[in-house]
Amino acid sequence: MAFPAPVWLAVQEELLESGEPEEDCGSQSCFDDFTDEALFESFHLSRACIAFIADAVRMRVKSAAFKKSQPPVDVMLMTALSYYAHGVFTSSVQAKAGINQPAGLVNAVNIISGVIAGMSDVFISFPLTAEARDRIASRMEELCGIPGVLGVLAPAHFKIRASPYDKKSFKSFINTLGYTSVVSQFICDSEGNILSVEKCCVGSAYEQELWDSSFKGREVEDGLHGPFWFIGGKGYRLSEHILTPVSNPVSDREVRFNEAHAKVHRVMQSMLGAMKRRFRCLQQLGFTEEASLNKKSNIIKSCSVLHNIAKKFSVPLPPRAGMGEPSYPGKLYTSPMEISPEALKARQELIDRNFSASVGSRDAP
């Protein structure tokens, strides 16, 4: 899992020891009025999962300054979870929440998104011990045959609306596929658990620039997480820690390596597809300006936290709604990126050692 068992158990113990939950909707939780089926249809989460989330949010709110004039925490959480699930404020949940003004609904989502995004320090955890890193790398190798891989690295684009009247700003949001978006940097493991999510930039940003300027990118390139690889697509530069596919494979072993690389990269595509399927707000984040990126970042990070929690509770995905989005091809620099000879040599040695004919009889990706 993205967060180790001891951390998960510690969170559960802290919740259980925190005393009686504050009464937000009378003596019952707002979610008690829903049947199990209605609960899943409304929030795309199970009752046990929502109960855990609600307790965690209440605990965070208790430990932070919070305006007493705000609606009850459970009411705001119900409003936010419904918005995450559907991307709109549904009339049924709006009626239960008793928040009639659009500004009040948006305010509830922004508040809860800030709280849940702040929980990422617990529920989106990068492997920090040698044992945890070795365990993740071992599972990666089992999946694709590439040793020493700690995670999959990719940009995630989320559609937005931007004002066409500010031409410069509007153009900055247009990505390689031609639509306006914001982009965040994700790292996940072989099971689709999110290990890291950071940055929220305009859609035209280069993923290599995201990596170079990110906290995790600087840590990795400085060697703070050990001699491991991260699987990256064509928008990244091959380096000591970023493992990209061979642009023009000339041998069978290079073809096999590219197939293995694509297999593990599809884990990220599947994870992002599952997130957008469960949290449909991510399919269209609404009107955005460069000055409001922090609010969109909180929504993206909140859905990432909830994704990891939902996986821990084995919550199934809701039915598909509409066509899936095409995978993002990556934004290449207009001029070729300079690649160090040492990185090229290291990748070739990895290919020769693990994808020669004698060791190439692995299951096809």
Side-chain angles (χ1 to χ4, degrees):
M1 187 59 202
F3 37 94
V7 172
W8 179 266
L9 293 174
V11 171
Q12 287 182 312
E13 289 174 2
E14 188 172 358
L15 290 173
L16 291 173
E17 293 173 358
S18 62
E20 292 295 323
E22 74 177 41
E23 296 182 354
D24 283 322
C25 299
S27 60
Q28 291 184 318
S29 165
C30 299
F31 300 101
D32 292 343
D33 294 336
F34 295 84
T35 65
D36 288 349
E37 293 76 14
L39 202 69
F40 185 78
E41 182 178 345
S42 297
F43 309 108
H44 299 165
L45 298 167
S46 67
R47 188 175 299 279
C49 184
I50 290 176
F52 181 88
I53 293 164
D55 284 344
V57 168
R58 292 190 200 105
M59 185 174 68
R60 284 276 174 153
V61 167
K62 281 184 177 181
S63 64
F66 194 77
K67 294 180 181 179
K68 293 298 183 182
S69 61
Q70 300 291 359
V73 174
D74 273 15
V75 168
M76 291 194 295
L77 178 62
M78 178 175 64
T79 303
L81 291 183
S82 175
Y83 171 75
Y84 297 154
H86 300 283
V88 295
F89 296 109
T90 63
S91 58
S92 59
V93 170
Q94 187 174 339
K96 286 180 180 293
I99 304 176
N100 299 317
Q101 297 299 319
L105 297 168
V106 172
N107 186 56
V109 170
N110 288 339
I111 290 173
I112 293 299
S113 296
V115 172
I116 298 179
M119 292 158 53
S120 62
D121 58 346
V122 175
F123 298 108
I124 301 177
S125 64
F126 203 75
L128 298 178
T129 66
E131 181 183 2
R133 289 192 286 263
D134 289 342
R135 182 169 59 250
I136 288 178
S138 176
R139 290 173 180 170
M140 280 285 189
E141 186 170 6
E142 289 177 6
L143 172 68
C144 65
I146 305 176
V149 173
L150 197 53
V152 190
L153 170 68
H157 283 261
F158 304 97
K159 291 181 179 178
I160 57 96
R161 298 187 184 95
S163 173
Y165 298 106
D166 186 344
K167 293 183 179 180
K168 182 178 179 181
S169 177
F170 183 83
K171 185 177 180 180
S172 71
F173 283 106
I174 299 176
N175 63 28
T176 299
L177 292 179
Y179 61 82
T180 51
S181 70
V182 293
V183 57
S184 293
Q185 175 183 281
F186 277 73
I187 300 174
C188 75
D189 66 13
S190 62
E191 298 173 353
N193 300 302
I194 299 171
L195 304 179
S196 173
V197 55
E198 60 176 302
K199 311 287 287 183
C200 185
C201 301
V202 295
S204 62
Y206 290 95
E207 41 260 51
Q208 183 62 46
E209 292 177 351
L210 291 179
W211 175 250
D212 290 340
S213 62
S214 68
F215 291 112
K216 198 57 63 183
R218 290 195 292 267
E219 288 178 358
V220 168
E221 297 298 346
D222 287 343
L224 299 183
H225 297 286
F228 290 94
W229 296 98
F230 291 82
I231 296 292
K234 295 179 179 179
Y236 294 96
R237 177 178 61 245
L238 175 67
S239 70
E240 181 183 359
H241 295 285
I242 303 299
L243 189 59
T244 60
V246 177
S247 298
N248 298 296
V250 295
S251 65
D252 289 343
R253 65 186 63 180
E254 290 179 351
V255 170
R256 284 192 288 270
F257 165 76
N258 277 4
E259 290 172 345
H261 187 284
K263 182 176 184 178
V264 70
H265 202 268
R266 283 195 292 271
V267 173
M268 174 65 79
Q269 296 170 358
S270 177
M271 183 277 289
L272 292 175
M275 268 189 64
K276 292 182 179 183
R277 183 171 162 184
R278 188 185 303 280
F279 306 114
R280 291 172 186 161
C281 69
L282 297 178
Q283 297 176 14
Q284 175 52 257
L285 284 173
F287 184 78
T288 304
E289 297 176 304
E290 291 191 45
S292 66
L293 290 182
N294 284 343
K295 292 180 180 179
K296 303 305 179 184
S297 178
N298 279 346
I299 291 175
I300 293 167
K301 190 169 286 189
S302 295
C303 291
S304 301
V305 168
L306 298 176
H307 165 85
N308 277 358
I309 295 176
K311 282 183 66 65
K312 186 68 176 179
F313 279 86
S314 300
V315 183
L317 290 172
R320 292 186 181 277
M323 298 292 292
E325 294 181 25
S327 59
Y328 190 75
K331 184 175 182 179
L332 299 177
Y333 280 94
T334 52
S335 58
M337 291 185 287
E338 184 178 348
I339 301 175
S340 73
E342 292 80 8
L344 283 168
K345 180 181 178 181
R347 183 179 66 181
Q348 193 59 50
E349 289 176 349
L350 181 149
I351 293 172
D352 293 342
R353 187 167 56 249
N354 296 278
F355 292 92
S356 64
S358 60
V359 297
S361 57
R362 305 181 188 275
D363 293 337

